[in-house]
Amino acid sequence: MKKSLLALAVLGAFVGAASAQSSVTLFGIIDTGVARIENKTGTGVKTTTNQMLNDGVNTSRLGLRGIEDLGGGLKAGFHLEGGVSPDTGGAGVGNKFWNRRATVSLLGNFGEVRLGRDYVPTFWNLTTFDPFGYNGVAQIANVISTLGSGASTLVRADNTIGYFLPSGLGGLYGQAMIAAGEGGANATQANNKYYGGRLGYAAGPFDVAAAYGQTKIDFPGSAGVVAGDKYKMWNVAGSWNFGVAKAVAQWIQGKTSGATDRKQTIWQIGAVVPLGQGEIHAAYDHANMKGGAGEPAGFRDADDANQWGIGYVYNLSKRTALYANYSHLKNKGASNFTVATPGSAAGGTSTGVQGGIRHSF
């Protein structure tokens, strides 16, 4: 009996030690609400739609992540994350259930080596320094174009190998990534040949970062784009937290090279202002298109756009919040940006207002 009790005690201690060295976490966000979108073209054609959007503060998602201590300062980790659509009960996008991220990593004093489907380095500035976090009707994504290239790497890429600098470098952070197209026969795969990097510095209230990425196009997207063309993006962004408000700004430039020579330059200024249990979010975006008279409509010099947005988030708790966002986008020339899809506002305006609830777990 005593031997049995001793054996059970030893087994229990072993299981406890093993569980302390590894962990798996289920997490997610449900963010959904109602929106009213009004698009008006330059010729006066107006359409109004009422719809449910699954992002206002964050994008709805479900995920699993885990880490295992391998000893000697080395760890292994995984991260699986897929988008969910609370309005319909759908999950993932297309044939990708874990469409947001699916990676496995080795971590240590050297940093992190990560493989799988992941966010590209050039995306992080777009979301980190956008007062709306690249979500909702007022996000900066509304005025960003891949210039008809068909590049599928604006946010994420498949088949990636990435490296992240370790923490503890005096505020310096950064990453590098390459992604293989794997000889795909469609835009999602063929236009996934990406390489890029990001370097930043954060200390106290100050944060600044710059990134560059390039995607090779093997599956042409629109008229004039041919196999072998490239889509390139540069961006620089920064923020300063004054306590009473955090000011943010970013500059973005996208460009095609090869058979076409299109360029779009975007700048944004904005702020996040704490107010009791809530926050006010505000931003102004200007998108300037550059292209010759021979380019298709939407890619010429006159095809610019401006957007301004304001929003309020009220935190009911650390996990639950109510929010409301408003955005007004004005197109110029043949520009056809909208605050939500589908819709057309060629040469006209697009306005959106939304309200909803976000709960994280």
Side-chain angles (χ1 to χ4, degrees), residues 114-174:
R114 186 186 297 177
L115 292 82
R117 176 171 170 81
D118 201 2
Y119 296 93
V120 297
T122 37
F123 169 71
W124 284 114
N125 284 349
L126 306 183
T127 182
T128 302
F129 297 97
D130 179 1
F132 295 93
Y134 215 77
N135 290 292
V137 297
Q139 62 181 307
I140 194 173
N142 294 338
V143 294
I144 297 177
S145 170
T146 54
L147 304 175
S149 66
S152 59
T153 53
L154 186 60
V155 177
R156 302 173 182 85
D158 297 337
N159 315 310
T160 75
I161 301 174
Y163 169 73
F164 294 77
L165 290 175
S167 59
L169 297 179
L172 187 70
Y173 61 89

Side-chain angles (χ1 to χ4, degrees), residues 79 93 249 256 300:
H79 189 117
V93 174
T256 61
R300 302 167 186 164

Side-chain angles (χ1 to χ4, degrees), residues 340-357:
T341 56
S344 175
T349 60
S350 181
T351 303
V353 59
Q354 70 176 147
I357 182 172

Side-chain angles (χ1 to χ4, degrees), residues 313-330:
V313 181
Y314 182 78
N315 296 299
L316 297 172
S317 70
K318 291 183 178 180
R319 296 168 51 191
T320 305
L322 301 175
Y323 62 83
N325 294 322
Y326 174 84
S327 177
H328 179 79
L329 192 159
K330 181 174 177 57

